[in-house]
């Protein structure tokens, strides 16, 4: 591996014009493809295997044109103080609005509040239900504009009007967060390298890689049914790893220059050593992202595969374009330890020969490994304690900021009709195999009325064939509550009894039931996903480090950091600690996708730091240093780079904390705190402490396994055959 990459690095350095031309051509090709691609069509969202999805599919068959999974909007009206919605003037304004709402081409139906019994008992609140033919992700902007315009006309008539439902849901804008992250990354890189040019290389290559990846996703969006969130995830991950990988190789190149090697040789060795670490770090990220397919949610699978493709591009760019650009830069890239004149280069250091901070820290850890290990493990354990009370769910309008119309509509409906009205359940009764369908429909309604937490049960509404009916159930509690979840399970348990008695099948669906099913599906998939990702990466790291204990330590350390990060998320978003500082307006269940998403993303980034830091230690150990010295050497050359990479990632993810979307805010905080725990507690403290305690045993590998494993030579031992003997002698004498 190292020898092949060494030759690749030297070739890219010499043939830099050809390499640069290839990547520019690929970027242009992807850009042209994205520009000429047809507009993305309808993006399907399905959750195979869930009861809610089965019910949706059944409704599509038995109620043609119903658009069971279509978007919905609730236009909520509140009368001025002292008036009622049944007053003539207010009623006329509402009826005019209802007429406007029904005019759009994507509108399936509009329910008038006065004919549909949608006026509260005290007469102050009413709502009109709008049903669309397509899902919320598929609605045209013009349809949303018509909805807002109709509501504004009712406001002009003196009513308080708010809009709830998923019709207004739009993909949150994250461009400013990305710009902030890139700006902070630039500052950190300049401080790390002491050179504007060296700092610019990782940024340039990362942006090119993300550009190719996102443009390719855009070009294929229509053909592969890719949603807008796919490119968002690809951008986030691609930018993160793209900067990291280029940073590792440029840093190693400068270190090789500092040892006196000429530039082409330094580029080859940088790609042969740090590039090997990049390849295996990239493989762990790809495994983590592609592994999302085990959840069996098509949208999540596509997101993972697309992001993995962007990571693969980042690896290829780091291995080829970085050495090519280093060839263009020539002597403008200074050896490690030297700064450009603009940033203070040429000045005499105040304390020449003083060990850097990474060396000093590693020596401290090697002297006090037990104390550092205990402090790190106990600290992460304490942070992980809140995770024991983790509650999972999906956000609804009740978790929106109070400044949004969705949240105000949610509150108005709760005020007028009760909190459960915001999350009605749809019960679908399939009586095709029943001898008495009407009796089955009546029995289902009667059984549900007898359950706890039920406020309203509407009469069964059968289809034309009379073999299937829908029943709407309004719970007494809010949609995201545990009580509502218990009610869904209770209805399903009753349905099993009804099936035995009547032959009719009872299914519970609707957005609330779908959220519950998705949460359960993600929860059930977490352990298999974790086993798959950690297991495959464990095997990969055995090959890289030729050790059993080092990969085991890496996996256990990752689990510690993820649990600690989940504990922090629970403390802030579920318990409300520091909620004011984080801008959390409404506490509640943690987003059900958060644990599995955090495992996938953080595992990939954590293994980046592990591979780069520990391969340096492995390299030093293989070249004859004692285990303790190898730990110090690894930190001497790797700590600064890993610290810079971690700070960049924390800054990028922290930018999302300022989002008004609670889900985006939670993801940003969770990923930022997870990277902090993993980089600075696990990799910088626990890892060297464990290696210092294990000594030579850390690099133990059974002989039979050593013979069976391929020799990938990450530490670059094979590169000695390509070195000039006189150069090596000169380096040894120096």
């Amino acid at each position: 591996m190292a020898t092949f990459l060494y030759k690749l690095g030297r070739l890219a350095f010499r043939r830099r014009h050809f390499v640069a031309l290839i990547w520019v051509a690929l970027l242009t090709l992807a850009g042209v493809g994205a520009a000429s691609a047809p507009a993305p069509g309808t993006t399907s969202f399905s959750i195979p295997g869930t009861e809610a999805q089965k019910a949706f599919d059944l409704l599509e068959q038995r109620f043609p044109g119903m658009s069971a999974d279509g978007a919905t909007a609730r236009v909520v009206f509140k009368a001025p103080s002292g008036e009622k919605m049944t007053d003539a003037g207010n009623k006329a304004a509402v009826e005019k609005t209802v007429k406007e709402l029904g005019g759009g081409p994507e509108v399936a139906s509009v329910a008038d509040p006065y004919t549909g019994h949608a006026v509260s008992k005290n007469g102050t609140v009413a709502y009109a239900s709008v049903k669309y033919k397509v899902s919320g992700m598929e609605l045209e902007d013009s349809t949303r504009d018509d909805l807002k315009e109709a509501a504004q006309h009712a406001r002009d008539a003196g009513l308080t009007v708010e809009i709830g439902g998923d019709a207004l849901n739009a993909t949150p804008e994250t461009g400013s967060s990305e710009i902030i992250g890139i700006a902070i990354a630039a500052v950190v890189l300049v401080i790390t390298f002491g050179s504007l040019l060296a700092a610019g290389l990782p940024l340039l290559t990362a942006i090119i890689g993300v550009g190719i990846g996102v443009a390719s996703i855009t070009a294929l969006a229509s053909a592969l049914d890719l949603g807008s969130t796919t490119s968002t995830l690809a951008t986030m991950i691609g930018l993160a790893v793209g900067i990291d990988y280029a940073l590792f190789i440029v840093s190693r190149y400068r270190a090789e220059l500092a040892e006196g090697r000429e530039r082409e040789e330094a580029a080859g060795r940088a790609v042969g050593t740090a590039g090997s670490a990049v390849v295996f770090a990239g493989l762990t990220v790809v495994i983590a992202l592609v592994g999302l397919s085990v959840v069996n949610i098509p949208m999540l699978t596509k997101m993972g595969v697309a992001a993995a493709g962007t990571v693969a591009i980042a690896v290829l760019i780091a291995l080829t374009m970085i050495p090519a650009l280093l060839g263009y830069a020539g002597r403008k890239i200074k050896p490690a330890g030297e700064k450009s004149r603009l940033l203070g280069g040429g000045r005499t250091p105040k304390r020449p020969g003083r060990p850097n901070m990474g060396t000093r820290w590693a020596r401290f850890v090697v002297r006090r490994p037990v104390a550092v290990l205990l402090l790190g493990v106990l600290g992460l354990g304490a942070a992980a304690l809140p995770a024991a009370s983790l509650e999972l769910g999906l956000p609804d309008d009740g978790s929106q900021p109070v400044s949004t119309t969705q949240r105000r509509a949610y509150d108005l409906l709760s005020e007028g009709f009760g909190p459960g009205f915001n999350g009605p359940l749809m019960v679908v009764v399939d009586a095709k195999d029943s001898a008495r369908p009407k009796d089955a429909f009546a029995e289902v309604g009667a059984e549900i009325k007898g359950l706890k937490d039920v406020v309203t049960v509407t009469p069964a509404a059968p289809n034309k064939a009379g073999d299937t009916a829908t029943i709407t159930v309004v719970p007494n509690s809010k949609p995201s509550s545990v009580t509502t979840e218990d009610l869904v399970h209770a209805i399903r348990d009753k349905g099993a009894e009804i099936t035995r008695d009547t032959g009719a099948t009872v299914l519970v669906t609707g957005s609330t039931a779908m959220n519950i099913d998705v949460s359960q599906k993600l929860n059930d998939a977490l352990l298999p996903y974790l086993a798959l990702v950690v297991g495959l990466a464990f095997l990969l790291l055995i090959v890289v480090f030729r050790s059993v204990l080092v990969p085991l330590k890496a996996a256990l350390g990752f689990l510690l950091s993820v649990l600690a990060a989940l504990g922090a998320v629970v403390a802030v978003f579920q318990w409300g600690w520091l909620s004011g500082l984080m801008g959390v307006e409404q506490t509640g269940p943690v987003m059900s996708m958060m644990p599995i998403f955090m495992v996938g993303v953080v595992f990939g980034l954590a293994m980046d730091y592990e591979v780069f830091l520990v391969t340096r230690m492995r390299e030093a150990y293989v070249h004859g240093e004692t285990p303790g010295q190898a730990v110090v050497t690894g930190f001497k050359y790797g700590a600064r780079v890993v610290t810079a990479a971690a700070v960049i990632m924390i800054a990028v993810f922290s930018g999302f904390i300022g989002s008004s979307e609670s889900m985006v805010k939670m993801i940003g905080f969770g990923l930022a705190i997870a990277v902090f725990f993993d980089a600075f507690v696990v990799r910088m403290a626990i890892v060297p402490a464990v290696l210092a305690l294990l000594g030579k045993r850390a690099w133990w590998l059974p002989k039979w396994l050593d013979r069976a494993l391929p020799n990938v030579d990450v530490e670059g031992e094979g590169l000695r055959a390509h070195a000039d003997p006189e150069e090596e002698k000169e380096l040894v004498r120096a």
Side-chain angles (χ1 to χ4, degrees), residues 74 76 163-166 169 393-415 418-424 477-481 511-512 515 573 583-589 660-663 665-666:
R74 278 180 171 173
V76 187
I163 306 171
D166 61 351
N169 290 352
L394 288 175
D396 55 26
D397 286 347
S399 61
Q400 297 269 14
V402 292
S403 58
T404 62
T405 185
Q406 292 97 322
R407 173 61 184 276
R408 293 195 292 266
Y410 181 97
D411 292 340
L412 283 177
L413 287 172
S414 297
E415 175 189 327
F421 203 78
N422 284 288
S477 50
K478 63 181 183 178
S480 60
S481 69
S511 59
T512 301
N515 287 351
F573 292 89
V584 180
E585 297 183 7
Q586 181 72 33
T587 58
S660 60
E661 293 282 338
S662 61
M663 183 172 68
K665 185 189 295 287
M666 188 182 296

Side-chain angles (χ1 to χ4, degrees), residues 636-659:
K636 177 183 177 181
Y637 294 107
R640 184 181 179 89
V641 180
V642 170
T643 299
V647 170
I648 289 169
M649 291 308 99
I650 291 169
V652 169
F653 294 141
S654 295
F656 292 88
I657 297 176
S659 173

Side-chain angles (χ1 to χ4, degrees), residues 165-192:
D166 61 351
L168 288 185
N169 290 352
T171 304
E173 297 293 333
T174 57
S176 59
S177 299
E178 293 162 13
I179 293 171
I180 292 171
I182 292 173
I184 294 175
V187 173
V188 174
L189 288 169
V190 169
I191 294 172
T192 302

Side-chain angles (χ1 to χ4, degrees), residues 55-311:
F56 275 137
D57 295 341
L58 183 65
L59 288 172
E60 290 289 344
Q61 296 173 13
R62 305 286 175 83
F63 291 82
M66 181 180 178
S67 300
D69 60 347
T72 58
R74 278 180 171 173
V75 183
V76 187
F77 308 90
K78 185 176 182 180
S81 180
E83 299 181 17
K84 293 188 176 183
M85 291 305 304
T86 51
D87 294 347
N90 295 334
K91 186 175 181 180
V94 171
E95 289 175 341
K96 182 180 178 181
T97 303
V98 169
K99 187 176 180 181
E100 288 183 49
L101 291 170
E106 293 184 316
V107 177
S109 63
V110 181
D112 188 303
Y114 301 101
T115 59
H117 307 290
V119 181
S120 63
K121 290 182 179 179
N122 61 12
T124 60
V125 179
Y127 69 91
S129 294
V130 186
K131 185 74 176 175
Y132 294 93
K133 299 174 183 177
V134 295
S135 70
M137 293 184 289
E138 303 163 4
L139 280 179
E140 297 287 343
D141 290 338
S142 58
T143 301
R144 292 192 177 95
D145 293 339
D146 292 343
L147 178 61
K148 295 174 185 176
E149 188 176 342
Q152 186 57 48
H153 290 164
R155 291 190 188 101
D156 295 340
L159 298 174
T160 298
V161 186
E162 305 296 346
I163 306 171
D166 61 351
L168 288 185
N169 290 352
T171 304
E173 297 293 333
T174 57
S176 59
S177 299
E178 293 162 13
I179 293 171
I180 292 171
I182 292 173
I184 294 175
V187 173
V188 174
L189 288 169
V190 169
I191 294 172
T192 302
F193 289 138
S195 166
L196 293 175
L197 182 60
L201 294 185
L203 286 175
L204 176 61
T205 54
I207 291 171
I208 290 174
V210 168
I212 294 173
V214 172
S216 301
I217 290 170
T218 304
L220 298 172
S222 179
L224 301 181
D225 191 25
L226 303 177
S228 58
T229 50
T230 304
S231 58
T232 302
L233 179 63
T235 300
M236 182 187 295
I237 305 303
L239 195 60
V241 300
I243 293 174
D244 275 9
Y245 298 160
L247 172 64
F248 295 159
I249 293 177
V250 173
S251 175
R252 185 59 184 258
Y253 172 75
R254 296 177 74 234
E256 295 292 339
L257 289 179
E259 292 184 9
R261 291 190 173 87
E262 57 92 17
R263 295 184 179 276
E264 183 179 325
E265 178 69 14
R269 284 179 172 270
V271 176
T273 51
S276 298
V278 164
V279 169
F280 285 99
L283 278 175
T284 61
V285 181
V286 169
I287 288 171
L289 291 170
V290 174
L292 289 171
S293 58
V294 303
V295 183
N296 196 26
I297 296 179
M299 185 183 74
L300 197 59
T301 300
K302 292 174 184 177
M303 287 171 62
V305 172
T310 306
V311 171

